[in-house]
Amino acid sequence: MQQLQLFPNRASTIGTGVDHLYFYLVGVSGFFSILIFTLIFIFAIKYRRRSPADRAQQIAGNVPLELAWALIPFGLEMIMFFWGASLYFRHYQAPPDAEDIYVVGKQWMWKLQHPEGPREINELHVPVGRPFRLILASEDVIHSFYIPAFRIKQDAVPGMYTTEWFQATSVGKYHLFCAEYCGTNHSRMTGWIYVMDPGDYQNWLSGGAPGESMAAAGARHFSRLGCAGCHVPDNSGRGPSLVGLYGSQVRLVGGRTAFADDSYIRACIMTPSVNRVANYPPIMPTFRGVISEEELSQIVEYIKSLNQGARIQP
């Protein structure tokens, strides 16, 4: 199987479950396809019309037979449903210790940044055995971040965050593709995932040119855009304090509440009128078109760093 290019190596914790479900689906589909076409061929010969006088005989109903060909496929389909749903929900939420990596899709490249600061284009270096959560965004059209060896694929949609996570199990170099047609050079929107030993990864992480972390860059943008004038830590400003915001429940106008995750913070920056915080006037301007997706991700990371150590537990 490893030599068959249409079936890539399995190199993540989710890979085994996905492959087993895939084999089950292919097995059921193949069995019934062969059965149906074989019966069609047999019946076409056995019950062919031999003379103009031939007439089909009326067949009486057979309750056990009717139940069998209704309940057996139904049972097989329920296995598909519950197996697929359980696999999905087991891998829907990233582990609490997963590290975030921000990914921005752009015609026709992938731009990635680690919270520590290193940036990559069409490449991603990660250590083996540690979970990572990818926070995906797009600067233009819909893209899809696809790593066949990890059995993961998630769309990067303009105007919102989507997430997926993985934990690599084997050191190696793996293909990265865009799996959503995104324009003329869609086929060139490829890259590589480098899974490294933890020691090699630390050497790689510290071996690049020194630069500021995402949180430090976000703090700089936060000050440059004048956000600090309203969002004062002691709640004395015209906007709410952002200290401890990430991972908390926020009370909104009208008695609603919202969970302050990455998507909520992004929405407050880009479309502040949607989630108006209770007891504060609607004076927050939109920054749509003012900041790039990369700058937005850095500001989000800075706000998350204001209560460092908190993780989302919805």
Side-chain angles (χ1 to χ4, degrees):
M1 282 295 187
Q2 293 182 358
Q3 303 303 318
L4 183 61
Q5 293 299 310
L6 294 178
F7 202 88
N9 294 341
R10 185 171 61 231
S12 73
T13 52
I14 192 178
T16 300
V18 171
D19 284 355
H20 289 171
L21 177 58
Y22 170 78
F23 291 140
Y24 173 76
L25 295 174
V26 171
V28 171
S29 301
F31 171 79
F32 280 102
S33 295
I34 294 173
L35 175 64
I36 290 171
F37 282 100
T38 300
L39 291 177
I40 289 176
F41 180 76
I42 293 174
F43 292 163
I45 296 175
K46 183 176 181 179
Y47 298 107
R48 70 187 186 278
R49 191 173 184 180
R50 295 177 175 80
S51 69
D54 285 347
R55 294 289 185 269
Q57 296 181 353
Q58 195 70 24
I59 300 175
N62 188 317
V63 174
L65 180 61
E66 297 283 353
L67 290 175
W69 67 37
L71 294 180
I72 292 175
F74 177 76
L76 294 173
E77 290 166 0
M78 286 298 98
I79 293 174
M80 296 178 192
F81 173 79
F82 286 107
W83 191 349
S86 65
L87 184 65
Y88 172 80
F89 285 115
R90 281 204 309 271
H91 295 275
Y92 173 77
Q93 184 70 35
D97 60 340
E99 300 177 35
D100 291 340
I101 295 177
Y102 291 83
V103 183
V104 177
K106 178 183 179 181
Q107 295 173 316
W108 287 275
M109 68 174 68
W110 294 107
K111 298 186 289 184
L112 306 98
Q113 186 169 13
H114 301 252
E116 297 87 349
R119 300 169 182 262
E120 304 188 68
I121 294 180
N122 294 335
E123 290 184 351
L124 176 61
H125 292 74
V126 295
V128 67
R130 277 164 55 184
F132 286 87
R133 183 174 70 129
L134 305 177
I135 303 175
L136 302 155
S138 172
E139 287 191 0
D140 35 50
V141 299
I142 298 178
H143 302 282
S144 189
F145 196 86
Y146 176 41
I147 309 174
F150 294 175
R151 309 299 193 263
I152 61 171
K153 182 178 77 70
Q154 180 62 265
D155 287 351
V157 182
M160 62 181 293
Y161 280 146
T162 57
T163 62
E164 64 179 346
W165 75 276
F166 66 87
Q167 181 174 327
T169 56
S170 300
V171 173
K173 178 181 176 182
Y174 305 102
H175 282 289
L176 163 66
F177 297 103
C178 176
E180 185 75 33
Y181 181 73
C182 55
T184 306
N185 291 324
H186 162 70
S187 61
R188 296 185 179 181
M189 195 168 172
T190 62
W192 295 97
I193 307 296
Y194 295 91
V195 180
M196 313 167 73
D197 288 319
D200 294 337
Y201 174 73
Q202 288 302 322
N203 292 335
W204 173 86
L205 200 61
S206 59
E212 61 183 351
S213 66
M214 289 190 68
R220 180 165 48 82
H221 298 314
F222 192 82
S223 177
R224 174 177 61 86
L225 296 169
C227 307
C230 291
H231 299 285
V232 181
D234 61 2
N235 268 323
S236 62
R238 294 182 294 174
S241 170
L242 303 180
V243 176
L245 169 67
Y246 186 72
S248 67
Q249 292 287 343
V250 181
R251 192 159 58 89
L252 306 178
V253 171
R256 297 181 297 121
T257 60
F259 185 70
D261 57 3
D262 303 78
S263 296
Y264 170 82
I265 297 173
R266 177 201 170 89
C268 289
I269 296 172
M270 304 302 279
T271 54
S273 60
V274 175
N275 294 315
R276 287 179 49 199
V277 180
N279 302 322
Y280 287 95
I283 59 174
M284 172 80 174
T286 177
F287 288 89
R288 185 183 299 276
V290 177
I291 56 177
S292 67
E293 285 291 343
E294 292 176 273
E295 293 171 336
L296 177 59
S297 298
Q298 292 164 352
I299 294 174
V300 171
E301 189 64 22
Y302 165 67
I303 294 173
K304 291 163 65 175
S305 73
L306 295 178
N307 55 332
Q308 190 64 35
R311 291 294 300 168
I312 295 184
Q313 296 292 342

